[in-house]
Amino acid sequence: MQETKMNTVEAMPDPSRRKFLNTAAFAGLAGAGLSVGLSACNKESAPAAGAPAAAGAPVAAAKAAYNDPHLKPGELDTYYGLWSGGHTGDFRVLGLPSGRELHRVPCFVPDALVGWGHTNESKKIMGTKADGSLRYTVGDTHHTHASYKDGNYDGRYAWINDKINSRIARIRLDYFICDKITELPNVQGFHGIFPDKRDPVDPAINYTTRVFCGAEFHVPLPNDGRDVDSPEKYRTLFSCVDAETMEVRWQALIDGNCDLVATSFDGKLAATNQYNTEGGYHYEGMMSAERDACLFFNIARIEQAVKDGKYTTYGTSRVPVVDATKAANTDPKTALVCSVSVPKNPHGVNASPDGKYFICAGKLSPTATVIELSKVLDWFDGKVDDEDKTIVAEVELGLGPLHTAFDGRGNAYTTLFLDSQIVKWNVDAAIKFHSGDKSAQYVVDRLDVHYQPGHINASQSETMFADGKWLCVGCKFSKDRFLPVGPLHAETEQFVDISGEKMVLVADHPVRPEPHDFIIFKRELLQPKQVYDINEFPLAVKDPKEAGVFRDGNKVTVKITSLAPAFEPREFKLQLGDEVTIILTNLDKIEDLTHGFAIPKYNVNFIVNPQETASVTFIADKPGVFWCYCTHFCHALHLEMRSRMIVEA
């Protein structure tokens, strides 16, 4: 690990900016009829939060030392960052602390660089219609999380959601490729996602075996045209997906909706924050209640109910659905769920690295709610008589709290969307303040960010090994931070040093819209392979002698090998109207020696990495000569690397 350079930075107060942001935020909310629920946080109530300074006052030391995120040429980053891509539908890989984007893994949307959505192998993963075309060509990735072992990431898998079409994709982290996609039945707006961290019953299973998925939108069940004009009958499901098979194990029918998802380190609980317990279908109805909920699922009880046959199914889906509504779960000792009330329209639930707490951020309330997990388990055991007695703190932080990260030293970092700030606060001090000790100063620091922050995460924050070194915050508006490039602005990912008492903003990174959640972990937890295992590909052409044209009537298979700087065969002939499948294997074994394969006029373009095999199928419907060429620079004779395809009339 390289030496860390220490610099100093001047911290400049900007009271005019803070005044403008707060005024504009309130004006916008009032204009939309959304000011209700925010009035609790104003100039008079702000000091009660234990903040060291009023909004707009300087909150960092005049000069603060910070770690330099800028690496020398040839230096490697010390962390990986896995990012969602938003409505680009992809999964992004960054190196940190530099912020350099290293890779994009296509998942839900076709990608011309690698041929995703064009090769037969990728189309099979994405899913096709009866005519062979892709079932979907758009996606919206929001949340990505990785597999665990013993409370830390184990480098096996990551998962990412597609909110538009309710799909979950799995990424193999040895090759950084999407290898499976599952569409969840009977849900829309699949948003929150989180893997479990160990088995709830068997202590020997100390790794991820399930992934939990929260659906945001209410729909009729089944959604086949019935009850479309009866919104009171619309429902939402919480889903459990098997981490290995990617099949849906079970679903739970709930009151209200799901937003984000968190899981406990002991594997016993999964939770989702709920911002629409009212079941509203216009925004006024979605914010009519003063409190919503954080819903906890008792995984062992749910899976026992499934084993006992206590479930139903909907429509054509055979996935078992248990009843997790409040009406069906009034007895704590048999209940499948525990519903803890939290202030209205929360946005985010996050697990502290010590395994003790889940924290829900208030969004329309200026508060964060700290829920103690041991008390939730006590409620399930009948030892606590009220779900809300599991709340050990509910404290004011600022306007528009959304998401929370942790440093492993007892501090939480929450984004304040309306204040355009990150607030650093101490969880134990907040609990003391909530318990009546008004001298407890739980707010430690505030940092202005640019602008309107949403997701936030810190290095190793969502493991038991949070190291408190770096934090990244995703800001939804960049405004004046970068060179203008037309109406569509880049968004801002800002990098913050949290190793000291004061947060220090050290870097801005423009990103293509619109990433959402992300995780950051040490590079030694991952061991990616630089060359494929050729034996993983059943269609592999392992020797140039196996290459050639193989005809079965009008169905033709062309087996091709690439070995820089040549394809084999150098040319091949087809008949007009043939159904052609080209199978290409890259026989090069050298790291970073990728070949491309493009056929003009035939809409064919894909790559094969060292020892990889891929295939495409098309109809030879245009006669003539077509030069198949390598699109990915590979050799001094790259331009000469061609094969001649002749389609005879």
Side-chain angles (χ1 to χ4, degrees):
M1 190 173 294
Q2 72 267 15
E3 293 293 325
T4 302
K5 180 180 177 182
M6 300 297 291
N7 289 335
T8 60
V9 64
E10 296 279 353
M12 299 297 293
D14 189 359
S16 61
R17 171 182 173 276
R18 173 62 58 239
K19 181 178 179 181
F20 167 77
L21 282 171
N22 283 345
T23 303
F26 275 121
L29 286 170
L34 292 174
S35 59
V36 60
L38 288 170
S39 58
C41 189
N42 51 39
K43 291 181 179 178
E44 287 71 34
S45 63
V59 293
K63 286 183 181 290
Y66 71 93
N67 296 315
D68 191 345
H70 303 291
L71 305 182
K72 296 177 182 178
E75 282 188 323
L76 299 181
D77 284 290
T78 50
Y79 296 87
Y80 281 99
L82 305 183
W83 252 254
S84 63
H87 39 275
T88 60
D90 58 19
F91 170 98
R92 304 176 186 180
V93 185
L94 275 65
L96 297 169
S98 73
R100 297 176 294 195
E101 184 176 306
L102 306 176
H103 187 41
R104 293 191 182 188
V105 180
C107 300
F108 302 113
V109 175
D111 183 271
L113 170 66
V114 301
W116 188 257
H118 298 280
T119 64
N120 295 327
E121 292 76 12
S122 62
K123 290 171 73 173
K124 182 178 179 180
I125 293 170
M126 294 181 74
T128 58
K129 301 176 184 177
D131 64 0
S133 63
L134 291 176
R135 186 178 299 134
Y136 306 110
T137 58
V138 297
D140 185 20
T141 58
H142 282 231
H143 294 273
T144 182
H145 293 284
S147 54
Y148 288 80
K149 184 176 182 180
D150 291 326
N152 206 351
Y153 299 121
D154 64 6
R156 288 184 298 145
Y157 302 124
W159 292 269
I160 195 164
N161 77 309
D162 168 26
K163 183 173 179 177
I164 295 178
N165 295 309
S166 298
R167 294 176 291 174
I168 177 173
R170 187 176 74 185
I171 291 86
R172 282 180 55 174
L173 294 179
D174 55 351
Y175 291 133
F176 278 98
I177 57 168
C178 173
D179 74 331
K180 285 183 180 292
I181 292 176
T182 298
E183 184 173 351
L184 305 179
N186 293 312
V187 301
Q188 281 186 26
F190 158 40
H191 190 198
I193 177 177
F194 218 102
D196 69 358
K197 302 181 179 86
R198 64 185 313 124
D199 191 84
V201 177
D202 187 349
I205 303 176
N206 58 345
Y207 52 86
T208 294
T209 56
R210 306 163 180 81
V211 185
F212 300 106
C213 310
E216 195 171 350
F217 304 151
H218 295 76
V219 294
L221 291 177
N223 191 17
D224 57 3
R226 71 185 73 182
D227 297 327
V228 294
D229 293 320
S230 302
E232 70 279 0
K233 295 182 179 180
Y234 296 0
R235 305 306 291 267
T236 303
L237 302 175
F238 183 83
S239 304
C240 176
V241 175
D242 189 282
E244 290 296 336
T245 66
M246 289 290 286
E247 296 178 355
V248 183
R249 286 189 178 189
W250 50 262
Q251 295 180 302
L253 180 73
I254 63 173
D255 301 299
N257 74 340
C258 303
D259 186 18
L260 305 190
V261 176
T263 60
S264 61
F265 282 97
D266 61 9
K268 295 179 180 180
L269 298 171
T272 181
N273 62 296
Q274 299 182 282
Y275 70 81
N276 185 20
T277 54
E278 305 92 332
Y281 54 97
H282 293 141
Y283 74 76
E284 299 91 341
M286 297 180 192
M287 49 175 281
S288 59
E290 280 304 311
R291 293 182 74 86
D292 281 296
C294 183
L295 190 62
F296 290 85
F297 298 86
N298 188 311
I299 305 306
R301 289 186 185 177
I302 289 174
E303 297 191 349
Q304 187 61 50
V306 172
K307 289 180 181 178
D308 294 342
K310 298 176 181 179
Y311 63 83
T312 187
T313 60
Y314 290 105
T316 59
S317 169
R318 297 297 91 196
V319 175
V321 180
V322 299
D323 190 343
T325 61
K326 290 182 181 180
N329 293 273
T330 56
D331 182 356
K333 293 185 177 181
T334 59
L336 306 181
V337 292
C338 172
S339 180
V340 180
S341 78
V342 297
K344 67 191 312 172
N345 294 64
H347 190 67
V349 56
N350 299 94
S352 62
D354 59 10
K356 294 181 179 180
Y357 309 111
F358 279 7
I359 294 176
C360 285
K363 193 171 77 171
L364 293 191
S365 168
T367 57
T369 303
V370 183
I371 302 169
E372 188 170 338
L373 300 188
S374 63
K375 293 181 181 294
V376 175
L377 293 174
D378 284 345
W379 182 87
F380 278 115
D381 290 338
K383 299 175 183 178
V384 173
D385 61 3
D386 186 337
E387 296 99 319
D388 286 0
K389 289 184 179 179
T390 64
I391 298 172
V392 292
E394 194 163 276
V395 292
E396 289 187 13
L397 299 178
L399 294 178
L402 295 184
H403 300 281
T404 301
F406 305 91
D407 62 11
R409 300 188 295 269
N411 300 309
Y413 300 75
T414 299
T415 50
L416 303 176
F417 182 81
L418 298 180
D419 275 339
S420 279
Q421 283 188 335
I422 302 169
V423 56
K424 174 182 178 180
W425 54 288
N426 184 271
V427 177
D428 286 342
I431 294 172
K432 291 178 182 178
F433 184 89
H434 182 80
S435 298
D437 182 0
K438 301 309 177 185
S439 66
Q441 298 291 305
Y442 58 87
V443 171
V444 179
D445 191 22
R446 297 181 186 273
L447 179 69
D448 290 344
V449 293
H450 312 85
Y451 303 92
Q452 273 66 55
H455 284 283
I456 189 172
N457 219 320
S459 47
Q460 295 280 148
S461 173
E462 297 192 285
T463 73
M464 296 176 68
F465 304 92
D467 63 14
K469 292 185 177 180
W470 297 106
L471 177 144
C472 191
V473 57
C475 298
K476 294 304 181 184
F477 300 96
S478 61
K479 299 181 182 178
D480 54 2
R481 302 299 285 186
F482 310 113
L483 286 173
V485 290
L488 179 62
H489 286 52
E491 294 188 1
T492 314
E493 298 285 335
Q494 295 194 301
F495 209 55
V496 180
D497 180 354
I498 59 170
S499 60
E501 189 72 3
K502 298 292 185 181
M503 297 177 283
V504 182
L505 178 62
V506 296
D508 277 12
H509 296 287
V511 291
R512 190 181 187 205
E514 181 191 66
H516 293 265
D517 203 5
F518 51 90
I519 61 174
I520 303 170
F521 57 90
K522 293 180 178 180
R523 71 185 188 196
E524 54 263 32
L525 295 176
L526 206 57
Q527 301 296 327
K529 300 175 183 177
Q530 309 285 46
V531 176
Y532 278 103
D533 179 354
I534 197 170
N535 295 311
E536 289 200 26
F537 303 96
L539 300 180
V541 186
K542 297 183 179 181
D543 191 298
K545 295 178 182 178
E546 300 174 9
V549 179
F550 303 86
R551 179 176 290 276
D552 181 9
N554 71 331
K555 294 186 177 181
V556 178
T557 300
V558 184
K559 297 182 179 182
I560 302 175
T561 60
S562 62
L563 191 63
F567 292 115
E568 179 61 40
R570 306 285 183 90
E571 65 178 51
F572 54 95
K573 291 185 177 181
L574 306 170
Q575 299 295 317
L576 189 66
D578 282 346
E579 180 185 302
V580 184
T581 296
I582 289 179
I583 302 171
L584 173 63
T585 298
N586 181 349
L587 293 181
D588 282 297
K589 299 180 180 180
I590 301 171
E591 176 185 331
D592 201 18
L593 215 169
T594 296
H595 294 298
F597 192 83
I599 307 177
K601 310 300 182 183
Y602 272 89
N603 201 38
V604 170
N605 184 21
F606 63 98
I607 65 170
V608 280
N609 292 293
Q611 299 288 285
E612 182 183 14
T613 297
S615 65
V616 293
T617 299
F618 60 93
I619 302 297
D621 56 1
K622 289 176 281 293
V625 174
F626 303 90
W627 288 101
C628 310
Y629 68 96
C630 180
T631 56
H632 208 94
F633 192 90
C634 59
H635 192 275
L637 295 177
H638 167 70
L639 294 179
E640 289 80 6
M641 188 171 177
R642 307 184 202 170
S643 181
R644 186 169 57 138
M645 183 177 83
I646 300 172
V647 180
E648 298 177 331

